[in-house]
Amino acid sequence: MDERSKGENGKKVISMLVVLITIVVTVLFSSYLISKELEQQLQHNLEDVANQNALALHNKIHSNYQLLQSLSTEVQHVTPDTIDETLQSFTIFLEDYDLKRFAYSFPDGTSYSTDGGVANLSYREFFKRGYEGKGTITGILNDALEEHHDQVNVMTIPIYDEQGNVEGVFGLTYDSQNFNDALQIESFDGHGYSCAINDEGQILVAMGNDRFQLSENLFTDVLGTDERNTEAIANLQQQIADKSSDGGTFYLDEKHYYYCTPVKLLEGDVTWYMLTIIPADVLESRAAPVQQKLYLMALAVTIFILLGVVIFLMLSRERKKLMRRYAYEDPLTKGANYAKFCVDMRKKRNLQGYVVAMDIMNFNHINIAAGKAAGDRMICDIWQILAEELQPDEAAGHVREDVFVLFLNIEEKEVLIERLKRLSERINHRSKALQVRGIHARYGIYEMQGTEDLEDAYSKAQIAREQARAEREQHYVFYHEMDHEKLQQDQQLEERFDEALAAGDFEVWYQPKYSVASGEIVGSEALVRWREKDGSLISPGRFIPLFEQNGMIARLDEYMFRAVCRQQAQWLAQGRRIYPVSINLSRASLYYADVVDKYQAIIQESGISPAYIQLEITESAIEGRTGIRELLEKFRSMGIRILMDDFGTGYSSLATLNMRCFDTLKLDKSLIDHIGDQNGETLLCYVISMGQHLGLHITAEGVENNMQLDFLKENHCDDIQGFLFAKPMPVEEFEQRLNG
Ligand code: C2E
Ligand code: MG
Ligand code: MG
């Protein structure tokens, strides 16, 4: 799942990034398009300005041309004698039109001017053109009619006689500087420059910039500034040759846009070219606010999406963390659960060591005696102990209830056992505080070679732990040391149990009990035997512990109980004398809340008196069991006597003896076997007398010889059950024994 969600997140992030990139590219591209569009608009703007400039230039020059035209009739037919007078009459216009002078040239070139100057100007181009019948406005010339030779511009028109022949050339002269000043046109808020050039590139008028010097040549001027201009100038020259309008860029320190438009003057006799120029940055700065907004928008969108991606990543990381917690955290201990243990193990390179399946024997005693909260606290304490005991490169997990799993990175078995012992001690220490007895850890151990499947190893460790539950002495079992053949047989026995019960393969055998005083039968114990199909017998030692582990024993006990009741009833019906028969009850049988009612019903069903039924219960069956006293009292109040079985094995305690809910103490064979050695006899002596002081009836089990019998007689033991008198026997044999 982890891998899959990782992949999904990756995909989401990638698609978000794709969207982000698409948006950024779109915004950048559209801002590029808009910039292009703006640039075009600005160029149109430049074109408009250039055309306006051209028109203004044209209009200004045209007004002078019109003046010249209107005065031309006055100079028709003038002669050298009358010219001065005629010209004098024109002087009133000089100031109004900011002109330097008017002049008239006769065919021989002799020219007269309003300021009195006379010179031969036949060499001048404008003179020659005049005689060709063409008007002219010149570029900058050096004044020929004056000593200082100031810079001037001259506009001339031909004067015709009635026959249409040119009889003179009439013109006006501007002071170049004044002329230039008069034609100033501002463009682009003073950032633009303009100039008028002729087809050779000579600058005739320069406006708004002192970069362009009158009389200089724009082509050479611009070419000289930057070599990148070669193409631009070539284009411009071609454009001038074609007399067309067009724009482009060239470099004057920095990039400039220009637009060039032809201006037809003097009714088409002269063409000037109006060039309007603007620095690129001025032009582009007009687009800048719009572009800035676009870029800001792109930036905002990018930040927005990036923020989205970051938030998404953070959220999904949080979610993953939470999910990991749910998946891997044990809700009770807040530590690792089994899934986390597996994950930790998967990360390990070296899996050589021991997998330990651990549980706590009689853990439910804590829940029963101290309450569920105390049980939960104990689990947390155990987890804490485990966590403290773990070495680096080891792992543990809380599987469920009182079940834990460990991986201990140890090479030597002895070291492992030492560590488990230490663990057990610490757990015992905690449980003692709760004052609940019989609590201790059990371990099933599987040795990993490093190549096994973990699940497999753990389930084997669990099998070993189940075995450890049955062990009395040691609290651990190594899977590799287990009798696997026996395990398999156990499994078969378990599988066959139901069928055998239904088929009546379980037989009740009776072992008589004798009075020490009279030597007569006083009762018997019912002992189960499993009759195989082939007639052979399986003894209870083989299957009782097994069925005690899995709880099947309760059904067998009930079966035995019912069989004994029926047998007693049958004997009664046959008119025989009957004696009390004791039946063994296991711990599991005592677990059912309705156990008393059930057994009472069975007795009532059989119709016998409860006095003929006795129950044998071992100390271990009641250990830590709350309410046992009340339960036993219920049986006793029915008239059933309770025998404490196997006294002298395990942890026989005075406290149990003192519970006062037993009628009989059955001394275990292991105590009887000590008859003959002094310490054993002393102990037995005390046990018997103590039991009798507590008002208990004393039965000795496993009496096999006369020495034991004599000792027991001497010490006033009440009854004897042992091979010395009789072994457990089938019902027919027991009947004969009763008859005999
Ligand atoms: P137990 O209740 O202590 O029964 C006495 C056992 O000691 C019997 O073993 C009996 O055959 C044996 N015994 C008696 N006298 C002598 C003797 O002089 N020498 C030796 N060596 N053994 C003697 P058995 O029948 O094999 O039963 C073993 C255990 O199985 C019983 O111990 C009892 O705990 C359990 N058991 C037997 N039948 C049942 C049953 O129906 N229900 C339950 N819950 N447990 C049963
Ligand atoms: Mg018994
Ligand atoms: Mg016994």
Side-chain angles (χ1 to χ4, degrees):
M1 190 204 107
D2 221 18
E3 287 300 310
R4 214 181 62 193
S5 72
K6 227 184 242 177
E8 274 171 13
N9 275 349
K11 270 187 212 157
K12 277 182 197 160
V13 170
I14 286 174
S15 45
M16 273 195 201
L17 285 178
V18 167
V19 170
L20 177 75
I21 290 168
T22 312
I23 289 177
V24 170
V25 166
T26 310
V27 171
L28 286 178
F29 185 65
S30 55
S31 79
Y32 165 78
L33 286 182
I34 292 171
S35 305
K36 270 270 154 216
E37 178 67 30
L38 271 172
E39 197 183 306
Q40 262 178 12
Q41 285 208 357
L42 290 170
Q43 280 182 1
H44 283 311
N45 198 213
L46 176 62
E47 191 180 322
D48 287 345
V49 172
N51 285 333
Q52 278 168 24
N53 288 351
L55 190 66
L57 180 73
H58 175 268
N59 288 348
K60 283 197 176 180
I61 290 176
H62 191 64
S63 69
N64 291 343
Y65 175 69
Q66 277 176 327
L67 174 68
L68 214 50
Q69 283 286 347
S70 63
L71 295 179
S72 65
T73 51
E74 304 288 327
V75 292
Q76 263 185 333
H77 310 312
V78 289
T79 62
D81 298 333
T82 60
I83 187 68
D84 277 336
E85 194 186 334
T86 308
L87 286 175
Q88 275 313 305
S89 66
F90 296 160
T91 50
I92 51 163
F93 296 108
L94 290 177
E95 201 174 339
D96 282 357
Y97 283 81
D98 201 10
L99 301 173
K100 192 166 185 177
R101 68 170 77 93
F102 290 99
Y104 185 82
S105 303
F106 289 98
D108 64 351
T110 315
S111 306
Y112 297 85
S113 75
T114 47
D115 46 13
V118 180
N120 193 314
L121 299 178
S122 58
Y123 64 94
R124 289 286 201 185
E125 198 61 27
F126 60 79
F127 178 82
K128 290 175 190 164
R129 276 178 60 92
Y131 274 91
E132 285 165 14
K134 287 179 182 160
T136 304
I137 177 160
T138 67
I140 292 158
L141 304 173
N142 289 325
D143 198 349
L145 293 172
E146 191 195 45
E147 281 172 32
H148 302 302
H149 304 303
D150 286 340
Q151 292 192 319
V152 290
N153 294 75
V154 178
M155 181 195 289
T156 55
I157 55 171
I159 302 293
Y160 296 96
D161 62 12
E162 277 77 20
Q163 283 76 42
N165 298 318
V166 179
E167 61 171 18
V169 175
F170 178 50
L172 52 83
T173 303
Y174 305 95
D175 178 276
S176 287
Q177 201 55 51
N178 290 350
F179 178 63
N180 193 70
D181 292 347
L183 290 178
Q184 287 304 310
I185 307 161
E186 200 193 75
S187 57
F188 292 109
D189 302 328
H191 292 297
Y193 336 128
S194 304
C195 64
I197 56 170
N198 62 16
D199 48 13
E200 282 152 9
Q202 191 190 3
I203 296 167
L204 308 168
V205 186
M207 290 164 271
N209 192 344
D210 48 14
R211 181 191 295 280
F212 302 113
Q213 292 300 321
L214 298 178
S215 88
E216 283 179 10
N217 189 296
L218 182 93
F219 296 159
T220 50
D221 204 21
V222 171
L223 272 175
T225 312
D226 196 313
E227 51 189 31
R228 281 177 291 178
N229 292 331
T230 317
E231 199 188 331
I233 293 303
N235 284 344
L236 197 56
Q237 283 170 334
Q238 183 58 48
Q239 188 190 328
I240 284 170
D242 298 343
K243 286 193 167 36
S244 61
S245 306
D246 203 355
T249 55
F250 54 56
Y251 294 87
L252 305 167
D253 303 338
E254 58 191 271
K255 188 178 166 190
H256 282 67
Y257 288 98
Y258 72 84
Y259 194 83
C260 177
T261 185
V263 188
K264 286 201 167 116
L265 299 170
L266 279 46
E267 287 167 357
D269 284 345
V270 175
T271 306
W272 280 8
Y273 298 87
M274 188 71 191
L275 213 68
T276 302
I277 302 161
I278 177 146
D281 56 358
V282 173
L283 197 64
E284 282 160 4
S285 71
R286 303 192 160 205
V290 180
Q291 266 169 336
Q292 261 170 18
K293 276 180 193 139
L294 273 170
Y295 290 132
L296 266 175
M297 205 171 81
L299 191 72
V301 168
T302 311
I303 290 174
F304 193 68
I305 292 181
L306 273 178
L307 222 70
V309 170
V310 168
I311 289 172
F312 168 78
L313 285 179
M314 269 162 54
L315 282 181
S316 66
R317 229 172 83 185
E318 274 304 305
R319 212 183 50 204
K320 245 191 253 165
K321 247 196 205 162
L322 206 70
M323 272 164 58
R324 207 173 291 150
R325 229 181 69 194
Y326 283 138
Y328 296 137
E329 187 185 278
D330 183 78
L332 183 59
T333 64
K334 304 285 176 228
N337 59 10
Y338 181 65
K340 177 74 168 67
F341 172 78
C342 293
V343 168
D344 289 348
M345 289 297 284
R346 234 172 278 143
K347 284 184 200 153
K348 289 195 194 313
R349 292 236 190 102
N350 179 18
L351 281 180
Q352 248 170 329
Y354 293 93
V355 172
V356 181
M358 163 182 160
D359 72 358
I360 307 298
M361 281 296 281
N362 305 318
F363 185 78
N364 54 339
H365 294 183
I366 297 180
N367 286 336
I368 293 163
K372 170 110 174 54
D376 286 352
R377 260 198 314 277
M378 182 69 188
I379 294 290
C380 292
D381 287 352
I382 292 173
W383 172 255
Q384 201 191 338
I385 292 170
L386 287 182
E388 285 167 10
E389 290 290 325
L390 280 194
Q391 300 287 323
D393 217 29
E394 296 184 341
H398 178 215
V399 181
R400 67 187 141 77
E401 293 150 7
D402 59 320
V403 181
F404 297 85
V405 59
L406 312 173
F407 172 75
L408 300 180
N409 192 12
I410 297 172
E411 276 177 22
E412 281 154 41
K413 194 175 149 183
E414 292 68 31
V415 180
L416 173 77
I417 293 169
E418 271 311 305
R419 279 190 60 187
L420 293 183
K421 259 192 194 151
R422 190 181 139 70
L423 204 59
S424 292
E425 277 163 18
R426 290 191 64 183
I427 291 170
N428 287 348
H429 185 71
R430 294 274 166 112
S431 73
K432 276 205 184 105
L434 292 171
Q435 295 192 311
V436 180
R437 292 185 40 209
I439 307 294
H440 53 82
R442 295 249 163 164
Y443 311 97
I445 304 161
Y446 180 80
E447 188 180 355
M448 295 268 277
Q449 301 302 329
T451 50
E452 299 92 328
D453 177 59
L454 181 67
E455 294 275 339
D456 204 36
Y458 179 53
S459 66
K460 285 175 176 164
Q462 278 177 295
I463 292 170
R465 186 194 60 207
E466 285 313 303
Q467 193 62 26
R469 289 173 149 274
E471 298 286 327
R472 284 203 157 234
E473 298 305 319
Q474 67 183 31
H475 296 166
Y476 57 86
V477 167
F478 283 85
Y479 178 82
H480 293 284
E481 292 170 4
M482 276 166 57
D483 185 345
H484 294 281
E485 206 177 326
K486 180 172 175 285
L487 281 179
Q488 217 171 0
Q489 288 167 359
D490 282 357
Q491 206 182 337
Q492 282 176 5
L493 288 178
E494 279 176 14
E495 284 165 6
R496 286 167 50 205
F497 174 76
D498 281 322
E499 202 189 313
L501 200 65
D505 292 345
F506 292 103
E507 293 178 6
V508 185
W509 283 34
Y510 294 87
Q511 185 178 26
K513 296 172 191 169
Y514 294 86
S515 161
V516 175
S518 65
E520 300 204 337
I521 289 185
V522 288
S524 64
E525 178 177 5
L527 295 161
V528 67
R529 297 290 182 267
W530 186 340
R531 176 80 64 186
E532 292 257 54
K533 292 279 175 262
D534 63 0
S536 63
L537 283 178
I538 310 175
S539 73
R542 177 71 191 89
F543 57 87
I544 295 286
L546 178 65
F547 294 165
E548 274 176 340
Q549 272 175 49
N550 59 27
M552 287 173 170
I553 190 69
R555 289 165 61 202
L556 184 62
D557 284 351
E558 188 186 328
Y559 173 89
M560 291 289 287
F561 190 89
R562 183 173 272 117
V564 169
C565 289
R566 283 186 185 155
Q567 185 61 66
Q568 294 279 57
Q570 191 186 328
W571 281 327
L572 265 183
Q574 290 167 359
R576 289 172 190 270
R577 175 170 179 198
I578 59 171
Y579 301 89
V581 179
S582 60
I583 296 143
N584 293 284
L585 276 199
S586 286
R587 184 181 181 83
S589 294
L590 297 172
Y591 263 108
Y592 297 94
D594 61 345
V595 60
V596 181
D597 298 338
K598 189 155 67 180
Y599 282 15
Q600 188 173 25
I602 294 171
I603 293 173
Q604 279 169 358
E605 201 181 290
S606 69
I608 59 163
S609 159
Y612 293 109
I613 297 294
Q614 297 178 340
L615 293 178
E616 292 196 12
I617 293 167
T618 59
E619 192 177 18
S620 63
I622 57 168
E623 221 171 31
R625 172 91 161 74
T626 47
I628 192 69
R629 193 177 221 298
E630 293 72 21
L631 193 132
L632 297 183
E633 276 311 324
K634 274 191 193 171
F635 278 122
R636 293 179 79 203
S637 65
M638 276 166 58
I640 294 176
R641 292 168 75 88
I642 308 290
L643 287 56
M644 179 183 275
D645 200 359
D646 298 349
F647 190 82
T649 59
Y651 306 90
S652 300
S653 79
L654 296 176
T656 325
L657 264 190
N658 201 28
M659 273 173 74
R660 298 185 180 273
C661 45
F662 293 95
D663 302 284
T664 302
L665 198 59
K666 286 190 80 178
L667 305 176
D668 191 69
K669 180 173 181 298
S670 55
L671 286 182
I672 307 303
D673 285 343
H674 281 293
I675 294 174
D677 80 72
Q678 209 186 339
N679 287 343
E681 286 183 3
T682 312
L683 179 72
L684 204 51
C685 228
Y686 281 119
V687 170
I688 293 170
S689 87
M690 196 163 54
Q692 283 169 340
H693 270 102
L694 288 169
L696 293 168
H697 192 85
I698 310 290
T699 302
E701 262 189 301
V703 180
E704 291 183 338
N705 56 52
N706 285 313
M707 181 186 64
Q708 291 167 341
L709 178 64
D710 294 342
F711 178 86
L712 293 165
K713 241 185 209 164
E714 265 169 47
N715 287 282
H716 315 293
C717 176
D718 298 301
D719 304 327
I720 297 280
Q721 179 187 347
F723 290 180
L724 179 63
F725 293 98
K727 290 187 171 180
M729 57 194 76
V731 63
E732 304 79 19
E733 207 176 305
F734 183 59
E735 280 174 355
Q736 280 170 24
R737 178 79 55 142
L738 288 177
N739 291 339

